[in-house]
Every structure is written in C-alpha cells, then in structure tokens.
Amino acid sequence: MRLSRYFLPVLKENPAEAQIVSHRLMLRAGMIKQASAGIYSWLPLGFKVLRNLERIVHEEQVRAGHIPMLMPTLQSADLWRESGRYDDYGEEMLRLSDRHGRDMLYGPTNEELITDIFRSHVSSYKDLPLTLYHIQWKFRDEIRPRFGVMRGREFYMKDGYNFDLTKEDALHAYNRHLVSYLRTYERMGLQAIPMRADSGPIGGDNTHEFLVLAETGESEVFYDSTVTDIRLGDREIDYDDKAQCQAVMEEFTALYARTDETHDAAVFAQVPQDRQRSARGIEVGQIFYFGTKYSEPMGATVQGPDGKPVPVHMGSHGIGVSRLLGAIIEASHDDRGIIWPEGVTPFHCGIVNLKQGDDATDAASNQIYAALSAAGLEPLYDDTTERAGGKFATMDLIGLPWRITVGPRGLKNGVVELTSRRSGESVELSPEEAVKKVAGIYAPHHRAGAHWEPMARQSFHTWL
Ligand code: 5CA
C-alpha cells in the first residue's frame, strides 16, 4: 500500500476523551472512530488488525477440530424465554421489537441459538462430539462503556459451543479450548494467564478467564508469580489426545491464579510470600463448562448408546476479539506509539522515502516495495512529500515492527537503513539484503519457541 493512496487519518493531538494508552493510540493512529458511546467504526488500519486477529482465532480453532459457522446478530426473544434467561439477563440486553410486535434482541451471546440449531439437527450420540463456533458482533448495553474497544457496547467476539455425551467428553472439550486459546494468544504476542473465575450469567461452576496483566486492566487478580514463567511455545498438540490436553490444562492451572471473585485469602497465603502477587488484568477470553443448563430446559437431547434420550453436556468458550486490540497495545507500546507484534501487524514493513521526488530514492523505494510484495509481504510505503520527521513520527505511531529508510546519502554508498521498532536499532544494508532480512523475519518458524506464521502468504484475507 502506498500511503498517498491509503486512508490513515492520524491525529497529532491527544484526544481528550481517551483515558488509557491503547484507546489514545488507536484514535491517534486512525484505527477507530467512535460512532456513539461504546460503538466504533473500524477505519482501514484498525480493520486490518481486527482481521488479522480473527484469522489467527480461526486457524487455531480449526486446528483444534472446531467447526466455523455464522449466526445472526438479532435473535428471537422466544428462545431466551425457553432457557429462562430473557428475564434474568437484565439491562445489559438490548431488546427490540419488529413491525409485527415480535420481541427480538441483539445477541449478547449465543447459547440459546446454538442449542436450538443443535436440537433441530442432531439426535444421536453417534454425531458427537461436536464443537461449533462463530465470530460475530455482540451487543451488551454496558452501564459504563469505556476505554475504547476494551469495554464496548458493540464488540466482536468469538464464541464456541461444545456438545458432548458425557461430562468427561465435555471436560475434554474444555481442555481443548484452554490449549487452543493459549496458542492463540501466544501467536498474538501476548501472555494471557488462565485464572479461576466466576461464571456470571452464563452459568456453571467450571470456568477460567484468560488475563493479560496490565495496570489499566479492569479485573483485580491474585497469582503465584511463577505462573508467568510457563509458555506453550512450539509444542505439538494432538487435540484428540485427552491425556495430553488434560496435562497442559493442569500445568497451566495448578498454580494459584484467580480473579477477585474467586480469590481465597487462606489458600493464597499458602503460596510462598515472595511469589504472591496482586495486580490488574484485562480479560481477553473465558471458557465455561455448564453441563446441561441449556440442553435440559431446551430439550437438546440425543439418543444414547442404550437408546434412551440424554441431555447433552455443553460448554461455551469466548474470545474478545475486538478487546484484544486494546490488550495488545496496552502490552506493547512506548511513548512514541504502538509496537505491533509481527504476528498481528497491519503491514509487515514500512518504507520511508526521505526525498520523495528524487529519481534515485524513488526508484530504490519502488524496487524495495516490489521486492517485499514479491516475497509475499505487505509493505506500507510512505510516498508522501511530508518531511522526514513527520514520516518517522507516523511510522512510530502506527507501530509497524520494521522500517526501511531510503535516503539520498545512503544510496550513494549503496545502502538503506533497516530499523526495528521495538529496539530502535538500525543497520545499514544493501536494498536487497534489507528485503531478504525482512522476508526472513516473517518466514515460518523463524524464531524458536514462537509459532506465528507469515500473514500475507496464507491469509484468507489477502484481499484486504
Ligand atoms: N458465552 C460465553 C462464552 S462464548 C461468553 O459470553 N463469555 S464472556 O461473557 O466472558 O465473553 C467472552 C469475552 O468477550 C470476554 O472474555 C471478553 O474478552 C469479551 N467481552 C465481554 N464483554 C465485552 C465488552 N463489553 N467489550 C469488549 N469485549 C467484551
């Protein structure tokens, strides 16, 4: 993409309404614009990152054996009356009626709708196990929408639902979700710690929230500091292997890590004192096992091996996809702007032409642009006539992890500058070497212990 043809409405001033850094940077980098309280338009740069996160979520869910689909945002109130949640859900639910006076609602979550789909089409235990998921907009009329996409009213969520014959099978589904979520967050450059939590209106008593530690987080958390040393990394996971998934779940949940709702001071006191931590965290996902809470009242039964109908065991599992943008920025920025992890960056590499209009720098910049594109990458080329300082400030603000700077002085010596946004370090290289280096960084499995993969090459959103 050439910046002169893109739509990147960056703001020079700090917007007064933004209280936390991620909200401020998303507004300043021209990623989002508030449409009304807690509801945002996703401008091109923000939309690109949102799509990248969505792609990672899809890849990891499909890898775990879960099946993508799409349910609507508007639902009929009747289904929610069946489960008993229509009255229980309270003010957070946005209720509407259509021209025939039928009660509708904008879905805050989808347990009822998916249970209805299941009961209409599945009648035998032989069709189990089954896990269906979608990524769709949700609406919760939060009393205090704030911090931009972090606590929105309209937000983008991945929600998945497992249907199993037995509790044991459903707990395997729970573990599969836990493991696939760990992979998902690590690919996004995040550490999200599973913590014992409260189930709220979803129900059940087996639930973990995934928390990214951050001072601006809305949740208060208590944990054993050694929990932050555990990584999933590159290990091969066989999602059909119950024992392996169980072992990973145990490894990640054995140490004390709880949100304030389930915090138990007496148990916490048994953690060695120098490892006791209390901090704040951003909840980027939550998994639930709730047994037959929905299948029983809604009649979602299958014929068991003995021919008798049994209600299925279910769980639901959510990732806050739009909230993740805020969480990643909270975890990865400096005073100049965002620092995108390679796995989610909107463009792989920036190209800054220090003397637009100069034959030599224009030609070299164009060549680098073409070579990076040919390597399957998506560069953002600042081909505007803005002065150098302004170009650098914009690149730093929007946070592309790598930048190639092309200037007349360097070109005389046959070099350009490759700069890491994270470390600030620059090296002088020939244009060909610079391209090779960047292409290598995004090559699969370049870094041991990290399993992010190059985006443009395998993205199902290359049209973006
Ligand atoms: N049905 C279950 C699992 S699919 C469910 O709704 N879980 S949830 O309530 O925990 O939501 C899942 C995730 O959505 C949360 O972990 C959080 O990351 C995100 N989320 C929830 N509310 C908001 C909100 N108001 N703004 C942005 N993200 C939110």
Side-chain angles (χ1 to χ4, degrees):
M1 180 57 65
R2 286 165 191 273
L3 190 55
S4 63
R5 298 180 195 172
Y6 200 45
F7 181 62
L8 185 71
V10 297
L11 306 178
K12 297 258 180 313
E13 305 297 325
N14 271 330
E17 74 264 31
Q19 298 162 25
I20 62 168
V21 69
S22 57
H23 188 194
R24 198 158 58 231
L25 289 174
M26 286 184 79
L27 291 169
R28 283 199 50 212
M31 297 175 69
I32 52 168
K33 180 175 184 330
Q34 183 173 305
S36 53
I39 304 177
Y40 290 87
S41 297
W42 293 79
L43 306 182
L45 193 76
F47 184 50
K48 250 172 146 348
V49 181
L50 188 69
R51 282 290 182 250
N52 286 341
L53 301 186
E54 184 182 356
R55 179 183 53 78
I56 292 173
V57 170
H58 272 301
E59 285 174 3
E60 294 306 328
Q61 287 312 296
V62 169
R63 201 195 300 270
H66 305 156
I67 304 170
M69 61 177 295
L70 186 59
M71 289 175 270
T73 52
L74 293 183
Q75 304 181 21
S76 155
D78 288 341
L79 279 178
W80 288 66
R81 292 198 176 99
E82 280 189 53
S83 72
R85 278 207 298 183
Y86 189 62
D87 295 325
D88 291 354
Y89 213 92
E91 302 258 44
E92 268 190 20
M93 183 188 279
L94 181 65
R95 296 155 206 259
L96 336 133
S97 59
D98 68 13
R99 66 198 298 165
H100 306 292
R102 281 188 288 252
D103 292 331
M104 310 282 292
L105 56 99
Y106 193 127
T109 174
N110 282 48
E111 280 80 4
E112 285 77 0
L113 200 52
I114 195 82
T115 305
D116 181 52
I117 292 169
F118 179 87
R119 71 179 172 189
S120 307
H121 297 289
V122 183
S123 55
S124 164
Y125 76 97
K126 290 181 190 147
D127 296 324
L128 305 182
L130 179 66
T131 296
L132 299 166
Y133 77 93
H134 74 161
I135 305 180
Q136 177 62 291
W137 294 96
K138 305 290 186 295
F139 196 95
R140 293 183 187 171
D141 205 353
E142 302 275 353
I143 190 158
R144 281 179 69 205
R146 57 182 186 154
F147 301 159
V149 299
M150 208 75 103
R151 179 162 296 280
R153 293 199 297 163
E154 188 184 48
F155 60 98
Y156 206 39
M157 192 216 278
K158 172 264 164 184
D159 41 325
Y161 304 86
N162 68 283
F163 301 90
D164 288 280
L165 182 62
T166 62
K167 177 173 181 179
E168 189 204 336
D169 288 350
L171 290 177
H172 173 52
Y174 187 89
N175 295 341
R176 272 199 322 269
H177 281 90
L178 187 137
V179 178
S180 66
Y181 281 22
L182 291 169
R183 273 189 80 116
T184 302
Y185 299 125
E186 283 190 16
R187 280 185 64 184
M188 295 175 181
L190 280 178
Q191 178 171 43
I193 305 167
M195 299 200 181
R196 261 174 73 167
D198 182 60
S199 66
I202 309 292
D205 45 27
N206 204 342
T207 180
H208 283 91
E209 285 181 3
F210 291 78
L211 284 118
V212 174
L213 298 175
E215 275 167 30
T216 49
E218 290 192 283
S219 314
E220 193 180 9
V221 298
F222 300 84
Y223 61 97
D224 178 333
S225 62
T226 48
V227 80
T228 60
D229 299 334
I230 319 173
R231 296 282 182 290
L232 192 66
D234 257 348
R235 52 181 114 164
E236 280 297 318
I237 303 286
D238 175 356
Y239 283 101
D240 291 329
D241 183 338
K242 287 188 177 177
Q244 189 193 20
C245 293
Q246 170 83 17
V248 175
M249 186 278 282
E250 283 171 8
E251 177 187 349
F252 277 84
T253 58
L255 291 161
Y256 192 95
R258 298 192 188 186
T259 63
D260 57 352
E261 298 144 350
T262 56
H263 177 55
D264 182 333
V267 184
F268 191 47
Q270 288 160 25
V271 174
Q273 211 159 17
D274 60 327
R275 292 182 0 208
Q276 290 176 13
R277 298 279 186 286
S278 74
R280 303 204 66 85
I282 303 166
E283 180 206 325
V284 292
Q286 186 164 6
I287 54 177
F288 302 82
Y289 162 71
F290 42 67
T292 58
K293 171 173 172 172
Y294 299 89
S295 56
E296 228 160 330
M298 295 184 67
T301 57
V302 291
Q303 204 172 39
D306 58 2
K308 293 202 185 108
V310 278
V312 286
H313 285 257
M314 291 175 59
S316 72
H317 315 275
I319 293 182
V321 181
S322 49
R323 176 179 286 182
L324 271 165
L325 269 100
I328 293 170
I329 296 172
E330 289 294 326
S332 186
H333 68 270
D334 63 15
D335 52 8
R336 288 175 291 140
I338 303 165
I339 307 173
W340 291 115
E342 275 87 349
V344 306
T345 185
F347 294 96
H348 298 97
C349 182
I351 303 170
V352 169
N353 183 345
L354 290 179
K355 202 171 178 197
Q356 199 68 41
D358 174 89
D359 286 347
T361 60
D362 286 3
S365 301
N366 284 330
Q367 265 168 24
I368 291 167
Y369 185 87
L372 286 170
S373 306
L377 302 179
E378 228 185 327
L380 179 67
Y381 170 22
D382 189 343
D383 60 344
T384 66
T385 50
E386 162 108 62
R387 65 193 167 76
K391 288 190 176 185
F392 289 140
T394 299
M395 283 292 174
D396 284 349
L397 174 65
I398 67 170
L400 309 186
W402 298 94
R403 186 187 79 209
I404 296 176
T405 308
V406 183
R409 226 173 312 151
L411 277 188
K412 277 198 189 116
N413 301 321
V415 294
V416 295
E417 202 177 60
L418 176 65
T419 307
S420 155
R421 173 69 182 84
R422 191 169 291 279
S423 71
E425 280 163 7
S426 294
V427 282
E428 291 196 333
L429 298 167
S430 71
E432 296 75 25
E433 282 166 340
V435 167
K436 214 170 134 195
K437 181 94 197 270
V438 174
I441 287 162
Y442 288 100
H445 307 298
H446 169 77
R447 284 191 317 188
H451 36 60
W452 44 262
E453 284 143 39
M455 273 172 294
R457 261 171 260 192
Q458 54 163 257
S459 170
F460 60 70
H461 291 299
T462 42
W463 51 272
L464 285 175

